[in-house]
Amino acid sequence: MATALEPRGKRRIKRPRWIKEPFNREARAGYLFILPWIIGFLVFTLGAMIYSLVISFTNYDLSTNTAAPVGFSNYERLLEDPKVMTSLGNTLYYAVLSVPLEICFALLLAYLLHRIPDRGAGVFRVIYYLPKMTPSVAAASIFLLLLNGNSGAINTFLGWFGIDGPQWLIDPTWMKPSIILIGLWSVSGTMLILLAALKNVPKDLYEAAALDGAGAVRQFFSVTVPMISNALFFCTIVLTIAALQIFDQAFLLFYRDTTNAAPDAALFVGVYLFQQAFQQFNMGFAAAIAWLLFVIILLVTVVQVRFGNKLVYYEGGRS
Amino acid sequence: MASVVNSQPQALAESNPDNRSAAAKSRTSPWYKPRGIIGQTVLWALLIGFSILFLYPFVWLLSATFKPREDVFDNRLIPETWVFDNYVQVWEQLPLLSWLGNSFTIALLAAGLVTISSSIVAFGFAYFRFPFRNLLFGLVLGTMMLPGAVTLIPQYLIWKDLGFLGTNVPLWGANLFGSAFYIFLQRQFFLGLPRDIFEAARIDGCSYFGLFRRIALPLSIPSFIIVFVFEFQASWTNLQAPLVYLNFGQPSEYTVPLGISYAMSLFSPTSGGEADYQYVMTAALLVTLPMLILFAIGQRYFIEGLAGQGRKG
């Protein structure tokens, strides 16, 4: 009977089965399987976000467990507190410098590994990946001494070339570059993603380019980079989101001790957020900082996606 | 026979477009072409140079653990005077065994739970068809983009309201509900399995959960190992969460990263103590070793899993 109602001469549209029977046995089983995620999402993501929004409009004090609504005053304080602006500036400085440097360095390493046979590459891949396995505390304690201005290995190395190395961890100008340097040491996660992308570039493209007379450099920029632009784009977004939240190294090297006031030169938003929430116990204000950080990350990501989609080459058209 | 096939000249294999296996091989094998003696020398020099750069801090750390206090800033890789007392001192002054035990328990729970829960959820998204499936999966991907710093405070308050503050439950509890990145990873893997085998099992009377436990699970051991090692490493090296949830307890309740951070303060001159960096270095080495051992065992899966990710697509 149902078929009689359909217009003649038109092809029957095949509908998914669940439109006829939305909550059949299979659908119910599916929901049961994804139930853990649904609970987690409702509590720890959606619930947490709403909770944090509510708190940001109160003066929630962790030490006394009291909260009174204060309207927008936490958000007004974002504009007035000079440390917010300082930490924001530092964070953007760090992200703008560290992300391109990490991408370039990771690409260089991946390219080198790509150019040697797999058997030899295995050893180097393991060596290059070791820093990623090192807990950030261990890395920070190592670099605490390697970056020592007077006798650290890095300044000794610079000394061989007649360069008088700076006081990395004391001079405010060099505090952020120190953290960038440590980040470069453990860039291998990005390296592996780019290496996988390099392996996927069809070999015949290089042969065609070589026939057209393209040298190694030309091939790199005209074949390799466009073909892996998708992976480069992905790494840029992930690294930017991570860079805007930088915490571990800055906290360990400079803001571990609450008694010892380090200069604000490496005070990042993530660090200030932590200080306000868990050292000053101003949860309400900290929640407002978190929302500011969220909005910034969202804006940066949206801008990157819009610009990136123009630059990225997608095999088989845009998805 | 196989050796005969493999030994045929590369040029011949490539000139034959119908030889699919040779074409596939040339596609996936690295683009490798010796480019003269100078190019090769530069290539290998760079590779070895970077290896030294990456390994030097480890070698230096190892040597620092054998140096007396006054030599710890010394850049010699072989200590002038060998000292073994650092290990004894660290063992006596810091509850290293408790830290390692705590971290191990937490990492094992976190990694084990997230591996199981994520793969159950991933199977739900991969196999079943139900209303709003794509919308919900879009939400999963969306949460991957959500910065952890943003949910740190509310999650802390949720755990506080639930009464789990000062315990290690917040450090693994949320893993019961799966994690977006791993759900995505496992789903990709499940989608790669042929649907026919599941349909055949259904016809044979296998339950939905049986499909997961008897078919999907045994076939996805490699992706299990990847997720487990990933999360174990993430949990082992996590500093911020233990700092938030365990900082106010006894030092013996700390995890490894929190413990080292505590040792850095304890032995640093700014907090009034002596600058006993040799102890910090020794502790740092001792807590890095388990990770390096795990990496040595799992690196094949780990690196292949990460680097091989794009190859399926």
Side-chain angles (χ1 to χ4, degrees), chain A residues 107-257:
Chain A
L107 183 58
L108 171 67
L109 293 175
Y111 187 72
L112 291 176
L113 288 181
H114 182 54
R115 297 300 304 269
I116 57 170
D118 255 350
R119 194 182 295 173
V123 180
F124 289 111
R125 272 193 319 200
V126 171
I127 292 174
Y128 292 179
Y129 203 78
L130 281 179
K132 195 84 197 159
M133 300 303 288
T134 314
S136 58
V137 268
S141 24
I142 297 172
F143 276 89
L144 186 68
L145 298 199
L146 291 185
L147 283 169
N148 183 284
N150 304 322
S151 53
I154 289 167
N155 277 1
T156 309
F157 178 75
L158 290 176
W160 295 346
F161 303 96
I163 301 167
D164 200 11
Q167 291 286 338
W168 293 94
L169 300 174
I170 297 166
D171 186 344
T173 333
W174 291 97
M175 280 163 71
K176 284 186 283 287
S178 298
I179 294 172
I180 294 174
L181 209 66
I182 303 175
L184 285 178
W185 184 59
S186 51
V187 78
S188 37
T190 313
M191 174 196 78
L192 284 188
I193 293 170
L194 295 179
L195 181 61
L198 286 176
K199 282 180 189 288
N200 269 338
V201 179
K203 205 177 149 190
D204 33 328
L205 284 183
Y206 291 110
E207 282 159 6
L211 281 179
D212 286 344
V217 177
R218 186 67 204 268
Q219 280 182 25
F220 180 77
F221 285 104
S222 300
V223 178
T224 311
V225 172
M227 289 306 288
I228 64 165
S229 55
N230 204 353
L232 287 172
F233 179 50
F234 172 78
C235 290
T236 309
I237 288 184
V238 172
L239 285 179
T240 309
I241 293 177
L244 291 173
Q245 298 181 77
I246 172 101
F247 173 79
D248 281 18
Q249 309 297 4
F251 177 79
L252 286 165
L253 288 175
F254 304 115
Y255 304 104
R256 199 179 57 239
D257 294 314

Side-chain angles (χ1 to χ4, degrees), chain B residues 290-308:
Chain B
M291 251 2 268
L292 297 188
I293 292 167
L294 179 78
F295 182 56
I297 299 166
Q299 61 90 7
R300 200 163 62 87
Y301 295 101
F302 201 44
I303 290 185
E304 303 266 303
L306 202 60

Side-chain angles (χ1 to χ4, degrees), chain A residues 18 28 31 51 74 84 86 140 151 161 166 192 264 291 300 305:
Chain A
W18 61 260
R28 284 201 305 270
Y31 283 122
Y51 201 167
N74 283 326
V84 173
T86 311
S151 53
F161 303 96
L192 284 188
D264 286 343
W291 276 97
V300 171
V305 170

Side-chain angles (χ1 to χ4, degrees), chain A residues 31 51 55 65 128 132 151 196, chain B residues 47 75 131 157 160-161 233 307:
Chain A
Y31 283 122
Y51 201 167
I55 287 162
N65 259 335
Y128 292 179
K132 195 84 197 159
S151 53
Chain B
L47 280 166
N75 284 315
L157 294 172
K160 181 168 165 280
D161 293 347
Q233 189 247 5

